[in-house]
Amino acid sequence: MYKRFFSAGSLGIMRLLIVSGIILVSCKNNKLAPSEVISEDKAEARKDSIEFARSKSLQARIKPVVFAQKESDIVHAKIYEDAVDDPAIWVHPSDPAKSTVIGTDKTNGLLVYNLKGEEIHYYKLGRVNNVDVCYNFPLNGAVYDLAAATNRSSSTISIFKINRDDGSLTELNGPGKLDEKLDDVYGICFYHSKKYNAFYVVVNAKNGWVQQWKITSGEEGNIHWQLARDFQLESQPEGMVADNELGFIYIGEEEYGIWKVTADPEENYKKVLISNTTSDNPDITYDIEGLSLYKAPDGKGYLIVSSQGSFSYAIYKREDPNKYIGSFKIIDGIVDGVEETDGLDVCNSYLGHDFPLGLLVVQDGFNDDNKIKQAQNFKYIAWPDIAKAFEPQLIIDTSYRNR
Ligand code: CA
Ligand code: CA
Ligand code: CA
Ligand code: CA
Protein backbone atom coordinates (compact mmCIF):
# COMPACT_ATOMS: atom_id res chain seq x y z
CA MET A 1 0.00 0.00 0.00
CA TYR A 2 1.20 3.48 -0.76
CA LYS A 3 0.38 4.82 2.68
CA ARG A 4 -1.12 2.03 4.62
CA PHE A 5 -2.15 3.80 7.74
CA PHE A 6 -3.15 7.28 6.86
CA SER A 7 -2.28 10.26 4.85
CA ALA A 8 -1.33 13.62 6.24
CA GLY A 9 -4.22 14.92 4.18
CA SER A 10 -6.89 12.87 5.87
CA LEU A 11 -5.51 13.58 9.32
CA GLY A 12 -5.75 17.23 8.40
CA ILE A 13 -9.38 16.78 7.43
CA MET A 14 -9.95 15.03 10.76
CA ARG A 15 -8.53 18.00 12.63
CA LEU A 16 -10.55 20.47 10.60
CA LEU A 17 -13.71 18.53 11.29
CA ILE A 18 -13.02 18.48 15.00
CA VAL A 19 -12.17 22.16 15.10
CA SER A 20 -15.33 23.14 13.23
CA GLY A 21 -17.40 20.92 15.49
CA ILE A 22 -19.09 19.01 12.68
CA ILE A 23 -17.75 15.58 13.41
CA LEU A 24 -20.73 13.44 14.30
CA VAL A 25 -18.95 10.22 15.04
CA SER A 26 -17.89 9.44 18.56
CA CYS A 27 -14.12 9.05 18.55
CA LYS A 28 -14.24 7.77 22.12
CA ASN A 29 -15.74 4.39 21.55
CA ASN A 30 -15.34 4.18 17.76
CA LYS A 31 -18.85 2.77 17.44
CA LEU A 32 -21.52 3.94 15.04
CA ALA A 33 -25.23 4.02 15.64
CA PRO A 34 -26.88 1.75 13.03
CA SER A 35 -28.65 4.62 11.32
CA GLU A 36 -25.59 6.87 11.22
CA VAL A 37 -24.14 7.61 7.81
CA ILE A 38 -20.70 9.13 7.47
CA SER A 39 -18.95 10.49 4.44
CA GLU A 40 -15.94 8.76 2.90
CA ASP A 41 -13.63 11.52 4.19
CA LYS A 42 -14.95 11.19 7.70
CA ALA A 43 -14.66 7.41 7.63
CA GLU A 44 -11.08 7.69 6.38
CA ALA A 45 -10.22 10.31 9.01
CA ARG A 46 -11.64 8.12 11.76
CA LYS A 47 -9.65 5.12 10.56
CA ASP A 48 -6.52 7.26 10.37
CA SER A 49 -6.86 8.48 13.93
CA ILE A 50 -7.17 4.90 15.15
CA GLU A 51 -4.10 3.84 13.17
CA PHE A 52 -2.11 6.84 14.41
CA ALA A 53 -2.97 5.95 18.01
CA ARG A 54 -1.99 2.33 17.38
CA SER A 55 1.39 3.32 15.92
CA LYS A 56 1.96 5.68 18.84
CA SER A 57 1.24 2.91 21.35
CA LEU A 58 3.64 0.55 19.55
CA GLN A 59 6.24 3.32 19.57
CA ALA A 60 5.75 3.78 23.34
CA ARG A 61 7.09 0.26 23.95
CA ILE A 62 10.47 1.19 22.43
CA LYS A 63 12.93 2.49 25.00
CA PRO A 64 16.04 3.86 23.19
CA VAL A 65 15.34 7.52 22.52
CA VAL A 66 17.08 9.90 20.12
CA PHE A 67 16.60 13.57 19.24
CA ALA A 68 17.08 15.19 15.86
CA GLN A 69 19.69 17.97 15.77
CA LYS A 70 18.40 19.74 12.67
CA GLU A 71 15.50 19.68 10.24
CA SER A 72 15.47 20.61 6.59
CA ASP A 73 13.49 23.43 5.04
CA ILE A 74 9.93 22.37 4.25
CA VAL A 75 9.10 21.25 0.72
CA HIS A 76 7.10 23.25 -1.83
CA ALA A 77 3.95 21.25 -1.17
CA LYS A 78 0.80 22.12 0.70
CA ILE A 79 0.74 21.75 4.43
CA TYR A 80 -1.39 18.60 4.48
CA GLU A 81 0.11 16.91 1.44
CA ASP A 82 2.04 13.69 1.84
CA ALA A 83 4.97 14.92 -0.22
CA VAL A 84 8.43 14.25 1.17
CA ASP A 85 9.57 10.69 0.71
CA ASP A 86 13.18 9.61 0.42
CA PRO A 87 16.59 11.18 1.14
CA ALA A 88 20.08 10.26 -0.14
CA ILE A 89 23.23 11.68 1.48
CA TRP A 90 25.97 12.64 -0.98
CA VAL A 91 29.47 12.94 0.52
CA HIS A 92 31.65 15.54 -1.17
CA PRO A 93 34.99 13.94 -2.22
CA SER A 94 37.33 16.61 -0.84
CA ASP A 95 35.32 19.02 1.33
CA PRO A 96 32.97 16.96 3.55
CA ALA A 97 31.20 20.07 4.85
CA LYS A 98 29.92 20.63 1.30
CA SER A 99 28.11 17.29 1.35
CA THR A 100 24.39 17.41 0.56
CA VAL A 101 21.11 15.66 1.16
CA ILE A 102 19.12 15.00 -2.02
CA GLY A 103 15.45 14.45 -1.24
CA THR A 104 12.31 13.59 -3.15
CA ASP A 105 9.07 15.51 -3.06
CA LYS A 106 6.81 12.86 -4.56
CA THR A 107 4.32 15.47 -5.69
CA ASN A 108 6.74 17.37 -7.93
CA GLY A 109 10.51 16.93 -7.89
CA LEU A 110 13.93 16.71 -6.32
CA LEU A 111 15.43 19.03 -3.72
CA VAL A 112 19.03 19.42 -2.61
CA TYR A 113 19.78 20.57 0.94
CA ASN A 114 23.04 21.46 2.64
CA LEU A 115 24.06 20.03 6.01
CA LYS A 116 22.28 22.88 7.80
CA GLY A 117 19.06 21.72 6.18
CA GLU A 118 18.81 24.73 3.86
CA GLU A 119 17.43 24.13 0.37
CA ILE A 120 20.12 24.93 -2.19
CA HIS A 121 18.64 23.47 -5.41
CA TYR A 122 15.17 22.51 -6.57
CA TYR A 123 14.25 20.59 -9.74
CA LYS A 124 10.68 20.23 -10.94
CA LEU A 125 10.72 16.78 -12.52
CA GLY A 126 7.33 15.29 -11.79
CA ARG A 127 6.48 12.63 -9.27
CA VAL A 128 9.87 11.31 -8.19
CA ASN A 129 9.46 8.74 -5.44
CA ASN A 130 12.82 7.37 -4.22
CA VAL A 131 16.42 8.50 -4.77
CA ASP A 132 19.93 7.10 -4.32
CA VAL A 133 23.51 8.13 -5.08
CA CYS A 134 26.67 6.37 -6.25
CA TYR A 135 30.31 7.41 -6.51
CA ASN A 136 33.01 7.41 -9.19
CA PHE A 137 31.03 6.12 -12.15
CA PRO A 138 33.36 6.11 -15.18
CA LEU A 139 31.81 8.02 -18.08
CA ASN A 140 33.55 9.23 -21.19
CA GLY A 141 37.03 9.21 -19.66
CA ALA A 142 36.03 11.00 -16.44
CA VAL A 143 34.43 9.83 -13.19
CA TYR A 144 31.18 11.20 -11.82
CA ASP A 145 29.06 10.84 -8.74
CA LEU A 146 25.49 10.09 -9.78
CA ALA A 147 22.00 10.48 -8.35
CA ALA A 148 19.05 8.48 -9.67
CA ALA A 149 15.35 8.68 -8.87
CA THR A 150 12.25 6.73 -9.87
CA ASN A 151 10.02 9.05 -11.85
CA ARG A 152 6.39 8.00 -11.69
CA SER A 153 5.25 10.77 -14.04
CA SER A 154 7.31 9.43 -16.94
CA SER A 155 7.56 5.76 -15.84
CA THR A 156 11.31 5.84 -15.95
CA ILE A 157 14.53 6.48 -14.07
CA SER A 158 15.75 10.08 -13.92
CA ILE A 159 19.54 10.11 -13.55
CA PHE A 160 21.94 12.99 -12.85
CA LYS A 161 25.57 13.89 -12.55
CA ILE A 162 26.24 15.55 -9.16
CA ASN A 163 28.37 18.65 -9.72
CA ARG A 164 31.13 18.71 -7.15
CA ASP A 165 31.49 22.49 -7.10
CA ASP A 166 28.01 23.28 -5.79
CA GLY A 167 26.06 20.03 -5.38
CA SER A 168 23.75 20.88 -8.29
CA LEU A 169 22.42 18.15 -10.58
CA THR A 170 22.78 17.82 -14.35
CA GLU A 171 20.43 15.35 -15.99
CA LEU A 172 21.94 12.55 -18.09
CA ASN A 173 20.19 10.07 -20.34
CA GLY A 174 17.95 7.51 -18.62
CA PRO A 175 16.88 4.12 -20.00
CA GLY A 176 13.71 5.59 -21.57
CA LYS A 177 10.24 4.47 -20.62
CA LEU A 178 10.60 1.25 -18.68
CA ASP A 179 9.23 -2.14 -19.56
CA GLU A 180 5.47 -2.54 -19.14
CA LYS A 181 6.20 -5.32 -16.70
CA LEU A 182 6.99 -2.58 -14.19
CA ASP A 183 3.61 -1.27 -13.15
CA ASP A 184 4.40 2.08 -11.51
CA VAL A 185 8.12 2.54 -10.71
CA TYR A 186 8.65 2.96 -7.02
CA GLY A 187 11.88 2.11 -5.13
CA ILE A 188 15.46 2.51 -6.38
CA CYS A 189 19.08 1.92 -5.39
CA PHE A 190 22.48 1.80 -7.01
CA TYR A 191 24.65 -1.29 -6.74
CA HIS A 192 28.38 -0.96 -7.39
CA SER A 193 29.73 -4.51 -7.45
CA LYS A 194 33.24 -4.29 -6.05
CA LYS A 195 33.76 -7.95 -6.95
CA TYR A 196 32.95 -7.57 -10.67
CA ASN A 197 33.64 -3.85 -10.92
CA ALA A 198 30.21 -3.18 -12.38
CA PHE A 199 27.57 -0.50 -11.77
CA TYR A 200 23.83 -1.13 -11.67
CA VAL A 201 20.62 0.78 -11.08
CA VAL A 202 18.06 -1.43 -9.38
CA VAL A 203 14.43 -0.36 -9.62
CA ASN A 204 11.20 -1.86 -8.31
CA ALA A 205 7.52 -1.38 -9.07
CA LYS A 206 4.28 -1.60 -7.13
CA ASN A 207 3.42 -4.94 -8.75
CA GLY A 208 6.49 -6.55 -7.16
CA TRP A 209 8.81 -6.60 -10.18
CA VAL A 210 12.45 -5.71 -9.57
CA GLN A 211 14.75 -4.88 -12.50
CA GLN A 212 18.51 -4.57 -12.35
CA TRP A 213 20.00 -2.36 -15.10
CA LYS A 214 23.71 -2.44 -15.83
CA ILE A 215 25.08 1.00 -16.64
CA THR A 216 28.31 1.59 -18.56
CA SER A 217 29.91 4.41 -20.50
CA GLY A 218 28.19 4.51 -23.89
CA GLU A 219 28.58 6.49 -27.09
CA GLU A 220 28.82 10.29 -27.24
CA GLY A 221 29.11 10.63 -23.48
CA ASN A 222 25.81 8.90 -22.86
CA ILE A 223 25.11 6.18 -20.33
CA HIS A 224 24.51 2.78 -21.89
CA TRP A 225 21.64 0.89 -20.21
CA GLN A 226 21.30 -2.86 -20.36
CA LEU A 227 18.78 -4.96 -18.44
CA ALA A 228 20.84 -7.53 -16.53
CA ARG A 229 18.06 -9.47 -14.77
CA ASP A 230 14.65 -9.18 -13.21
CA PHE A 231 12.57 -11.04 -10.62
CA GLN A 232 9.25 -10.57 -8.88
CA LEU A 233 8.26 -10.42 -5.21
CA GLU A 234 4.77 -11.42 -4.13
CA SER A 235 3.62 -7.99 -3.01
CA GLN A 236 4.62 -4.34 -3.19
CA PRO A 237 8.26 -3.50 -2.41
CA GLU A 238 9.74 -0.05 -1.96
CA GLY A 239 12.87 0.60 0.10
CA MET A 240 16.11 -0.97 -1.15
CA VAL A 241 19.81 -0.69 -0.36
CA ALA A 242 22.82 -2.51 -1.83
CA ASP A 243 25.87 -3.76 0.00
CA ASN A 244 28.61 -3.03 -2.56
CA GLU A 245 31.32 -4.93 -0.69
CA LEU A 246 29.41 -8.03 0.43
CA GLY A 247 27.29 -8.37 -2.73
CA PHE A 248 23.69 -8.21 -1.49
CA ILE A 249 20.60 -6.12 -2.11
CA TYR A 250 18.18 -5.67 0.78
CA ILE A 251 14.57 -5.13 -0.26
CA GLY A 252 11.62 -4.17 1.90
CA GLU A 253 8.39 -5.88 0.86
CA GLU A 254 6.18 -3.32 2.54
CA GLU A 255 3.59 -5.47 4.25
CA TYR A 256 5.65 -8.63 4.51
CA GLY A 257 9.27 -8.24 5.54
CA ILE A 258 12.92 -7.64 4.65
CA TRP A 259 14.64 -9.71 1.96
CA LYS A 260 18.36 -10.15 1.31
CA VAL A 261 19.05 -11.03 -2.32
CA THR A 262 22.35 -11.95 -4.01
CA ALA A 263 23.29 -8.89 -6.04
CA ASP A 264 25.58 -10.08 -8.83
CA PRO A 265 23.73 -11.39 -11.90
CA GLU A 266 26.73 -13.65 -12.55
CA GLU A 267 25.82 -15.61 -9.44
CA ASN A 268 22.80 -17.72 -8.53
CA TYR A 269 19.73 -15.78 -7.49
CA LYS A 270 19.06 -16.48 -3.83
CA LYS A 271 16.80 -14.63 -1.43
CA VAL A 272 16.73 -14.93 2.36
CA LEU A 273 14.12 -13.46 4.69
CA ILE A 274 15.80 -11.34 7.39
CA SER A 275 12.68 -10.46 9.33
CA ASN A 276 8.95 -10.42 8.71
CA THR A 277 5.97 -8.50 9.96
CA THR A 278 3.98 -11.32 11.53
CA SER A 279 2.16 -10.29 14.70
CA ASP A 280 4.43 -12.40 16.92
CA ASN A 281 7.48 -10.40 15.76
CA PRO A 282 7.69 -7.15 17.76
CA ASP A 283 10.83 -5.93 15.90
CA ILE A 284 9.07 -4.41 12.88
CA THR A 285 5.53 -3.33 12.04
CA TYR A 286 4.38 -2.84 8.46
CA ASP A 287 4.89 -0.92 6.28
CA ILE A 288 8.57 -1.64 5.90
CA GLU A 289 9.89 1.58 4.35
CA GLY A 290 13.41 3.06 4.02
CA LEU A 291 16.50 0.84 4.30
CA SER A 292 20.11 1.95 4.61
CA LEU A 293 23.52 0.57 5.60
CA TYR A 294 25.95 1.96 8.16
CA LYS A 295 29.27 0.59 6.91
CA ALA A 296 32.13 -0.12 9.31
CA PRO A 297 35.37 -1.84 8.19
CA ASP A 298 35.72 -5.60 7.69
CA GLY A 299 32.12 -6.10 6.58
CA LYS A 300 30.76 -4.95 9.92
CA GLY A 301 28.07 -2.35 10.46
CA TYR A 302 24.29 -2.14 10.53
CA LEU A 303 21.18 -2.32 8.41
CA ILE A 304 18.70 0.39 9.49
CA VAL A 305 15.05 -0.08 8.62
CA SER A 306 12.08 2.25 8.95
CA SER A 307 9.31 0.37 10.74
CA GLN A 308 6.60 2.78 9.68
CA GLY A 309 3.78 1.11 11.61
CA SER A 310 5.54 1.63 14.95
CA PHE A 311 7.07 5.06 14.26
CA SER A 312 10.53 3.59 14.89
CA TYR A 313 13.73 2.22 13.34
CA ALA A 314 15.00 -1.35 13.61
CA ILE A 315 18.73 -2.10 13.56
CA TYR A 316 20.20 -5.38 12.29
CA LYS A 317 23.82 -6.46 12.06
CA ARG A 318 25.26 -6.07 8.56
CA GLU A 319 27.02 -9.41 8.69
CA ASP A 320 25.30 -12.78 8.40
CA PRO A 321 22.83 -13.75 9.72
CA ASN A 322 21.76 -10.11 10.20
CA LYS A 323 20.86 -10.48 13.87
CA TYR A 324 18.34 -7.95 15.22
CA ILE A 325 20.03 -5.58 17.68
CA GLY A 326 17.15 -3.35 18.76
CA SER A 327 15.03 -0.37 17.78
CA PHE A 328 14.95 3.32 18.57
CA LYS A 329 12.57 6.24 18.18
CA ILE A 330 13.06 9.96 17.53
CA ILE A 331 11.06 12.16 19.91
CA ASP A 332 10.50 15.89 20.45
CA GLY A 333 13.66 17.85 21.29
CA ILE A 334 15.16 20.99 19.73
CA VAL A 335 13.08 20.03 16.70
CA ASP A 336 9.93 17.91 16.67
CA GLY A 337 10.06 14.12 16.86
CA VAL A 338 9.48 11.87 13.87
CA GLU A 339 6.39 9.92 12.93
CA GLU A 340 5.63 7.51 10.09
CA THR A 341 8.98 7.66 8.29
CA ASP A 342 9.12 6.69 4.61
CA GLY A 343 12.69 6.92 3.33
CA LEU A 344 15.95 7.26 5.23
CA ASP A 345 19.69 7.26 4.59
CA VAL A 346 22.67 6.86 6.90
CA CYS A 347 26.32 7.73 6.39
CA ASN A 348 29.32 7.19 8.65
CA SER A 349 31.75 9.61 6.98
CA TYR A 350 33.13 12.74 8.65
CA LEU A 351 30.90 15.57 7.38
CA GLY A 352 32.59 18.63 8.86
CA HIS A 353 31.80 20.13 12.24
CA ASP A 354 28.01 19.84 11.92
CA PHE A 355 28.15 16.03 11.73
CA PRO A 356 31.71 14.85 12.38
CA LEU A 357 30.77 11.28 13.30
CA GLY A 358 28.09 10.39 10.79
CA LEU A 359 24.51 11.29 9.99
CA LEU A 360 21.10 9.68 9.68
CA VAL A 361 18.48 11.53 7.62
CA VAL A 362 14.83 10.49 7.84
CA GLN A 363 11.57 11.67 6.32
CA ASP A 364 9.10 13.01 8.89
CA GLY A 365 5.45 12.29 8.09
CA PHE A 366 4.19 14.93 10.55
CA ASN A 367 6.31 18.03 10.80
CA ASP A 368 5.36 20.71 13.28
CA ASP A 369 6.99 23.76 14.86
CA ASN A 370 5.87 24.41 18.43
CA LYS A 371 2.89 22.08 17.80
CA ILE A 372 1.78 24.05 14.73
CA LYS A 373 1.55 21.81 11.69
CA GLN A 374 3.91 22.56 8.81
CA ALA A 375 4.55 21.02 5.39
CA GLN A 376 6.75 17.91 5.56
CA ASN A 377 10.52 17.84 5.80
CA PHE A 378 13.57 15.73 6.69
CA LYS A 379 15.17 15.38 10.10
CA TYR A 380 18.97 15.14 10.63
CA ILE A 381 20.25 12.95 13.48
CA ALA A 382 23.91 12.70 14.56
CA TRP A 383 25.01 9.05 14.46
CA PRO A 384 26.63 9.04 17.95
CA ASP A 385 23.25 9.97 19.47
CA ILE A 386 21.90 6.70 18.03
CA ALA A 387 25.00 4.65 18.87
CA LYS A 388 24.91 5.78 22.51
CA ALA A 389 21.21 5.01 22.91
CA PHE A 390 22.10 1.30 22.94
CA GLU A 391 23.80 -0.84 25.53
CA PRO A 392 26.39 -1.94 24.54
CA GLN A 393 27.03 1.14 22.43
CA LEU A 394 26.98 0.70 18.63
CA ILE A 395 30.10 1.20 16.50
CA ILE A 396 31.11 4.81 15.76
CA ASP A 397 33.64 4.67 12.92
CA THR A 398 34.39 7.19 10.20
CA SER A 399 37.09 5.22 8.40
CA TYR A 400 34.79 3.79 5.72
CA ARG A 401 34.27 6.23 2.87
CA ASN A 402 31.12 6.01 0.80
CA ARG A 403 32.76 5.24 -2.50
CA1 CA B 1 5.62 2.93 1.08
CA1 CA C 1 7.31 15.21 13.46
CA1 CA D 1 7.53 5.94 0.49
CA1 CA E 1 9.60 21.06 12.70
Side-chain angles (χ1 to χ4, degrees), residues 2-3 85 106 129-130 186 238 254 289 308 342-343:
Y2 189 56
K3 268 283 175 190
D85 201 88
K106 61 193 171 195
N129 198 54
N130 282 187
Y186 214 44
E238 186 174 358
E254 288 193 340
E289 289 282 339
Q308 193 177 47
D342 280 313

Side-chain angles (χ1 to χ4, degrees), residues 88-107:
I89 302 165
W90 171 67
V91 182
H92 190 283
S94 57
D95 188 350
K98 283 189 184 163
S99 301
T100 62
V101 174
I102 304 168
T104 61
D105 173 343
K106 61 193 171 195
T107 67

Side-chain angles (χ1 to χ4, degrees), residues 5-307:
F5 289 136
F6 53 92
S7 67
S10 51
L11 194 79
I13 290 163
M14 173 77 175
R15 286 174 182 166
L16 284 174
L17 291 171
I18 292 169
V19 168
S20 54
I22 54 169
I23 193 154
L24 301 172
V25 182
S26 164
C27 289
K28 256 188 196 160
N29 59 16
N30 297 314
K31 279 181 189 158
L32 292 176
S35 59
E36 203 167 2
V37 177
I38 59 170
S39 72
E40 210 172 290
D41 277 354
K42 284 180 189 171
E44 185 66 22
R46 187 167 142 272
K47 183 167 146 257
D48 287 353
S49 72
I50 296 166
E51 299 292 0
F52 189 90
R54 187 179 295 153
S55 297
K56 270 285 186 194
S57 74
L58 288 170
Q59 187 198 43
R61 295 184 196 169
I62 291 158
K63 300 293 172 234
V65 162
V66 167
F67 304 99
Q69 288 199 352
K70 291 183 199 296
E71 60 184 333
S72 73
D73 289 343
I74 56 172
V75 286
H76 302 250
K78 294 191 183 72
I79 216 164
Y80 293 116
E81 274 185 302
D82 185 27
V84 175
D85 201 88
D86 190 36
I89 302 165
W90 171 67
V91 182
H92 190 283
S94 57
D95 188 350
K98 283 189 184 163
S99 301
T100 62
V101 174
I102 304 168
T104 61
D105 173 343
K106 61 193 171 195
T107 67
N108 70 49
L110 272 182
L111 299 119
V112 183
Y113 302 95
N114 62 21
L115 293 177
K116 299 195 183 313
E118 296 158 346
E119 179 191 315
I120 52 173
H121 305 288
Y122 170 43
Y123 303 95
K124 278 196 152 189
L125 299 161
R127 297 163 60 220
V128 289
N129 198 54
N130 282 187
V131 62
D132 197 19
V133 302
C134 84
Y135 297 90
N136 296 320
F137 175 69
L139 182 64
N140 212 22
V143 290
Y144 297 109
D145 300 338
L146 304 179
T150 39
N151 194 325
R152 300 176 69 199
S153 293
S154 48
S155 299
T156 191
I157 297 162
S158 295
I159 192 161
F160 308 86
K161 174 175 90 173
I162 303 171
N163 299 306
R164 291 174 171 177
D165 51 350
D166 64 354
S168 62
L169 306 176
T170 303
E171 190 154 11
L172 303 171
N173 68 297
K177 192 172 186 306
L178 291 173
D179 201 307
E180 280 170 9
K181 226 185 221 179
L182 294 178
D183 184 8
D184 207 358
V185 290
Y186 214 44
I188 196 165
C189 71
F190 279 100
Y191 170 52
H192 176 188
S193 172
K194 298 289 168 90
K195 189 172 173 184
Y196 294 93
N197 192 27
F199 286 83
Y200 299 91
V201 178
V202 187
V203 59
N204 67 47
K206 282 193 164 191
N207 62 351
W209 275 102
V210 182
Q211 288 193 335
Q212 186 164 343
W213 290 81
K214 188 171 188 175
I215 53 170
T216 50
S217 186
E219 290 169 6
E220 294 172 359
N222 283 329
I223 296 173
H224 179 252
W225 294 78
Q226 182 193 2
L227 184 60
R229 66 165 183 175
D230 58 14
F231 52 90
Q232 190 176 24
L233 300 177
E234 286 186 11
S235 67
Q236 182 176 306
E238 186 174 358
M240 294 193 291
V241 63
D243 191 323
N244 297 338
E245 290 78 20
L246 303 184
F248 296 105
I249 299 166
Y250 293 91
I251 308 174
E253 191 176 332
E254 288 193 340
E255 293 196 18
Y256 185 70
I258 306 158
W259 293 102
K260 182 182 190 178
V261 180
T262 44
D264 290 300
E266 292 85 348
E267 298 176 7
N268 286 336
Y269 171 75
K270 199 175 117 193
K271 81 177 195 301
V272 175
L273 189 67
I274 300 302
S275 187
N276 69 11
T277 60
T278 51
S279 56
D280 59 352
N281 177 9
D283 306 346
I284 46 173
T285 307
Y286 57 87
D287 290 1
I288 306 304
E289 289 282 339
L291 277 70
S292 188
L293 283 167
Y294 181 94
K295 293 173 182 172
D298 305 321
K300 292 200 165 54
Y302 309 105
L303 171 70
I304 319 236
V305 178
S306 169
S307 169

Side-chain angles (χ1 to χ4, degrees), residues 332 336-339 364-368 379:
D332 289 347
D336 58 300
V338 185
E339 301 78 28
D364 183 10
F366 292 86
N367 176 34
D368 64 68
K379 301 295 195 271

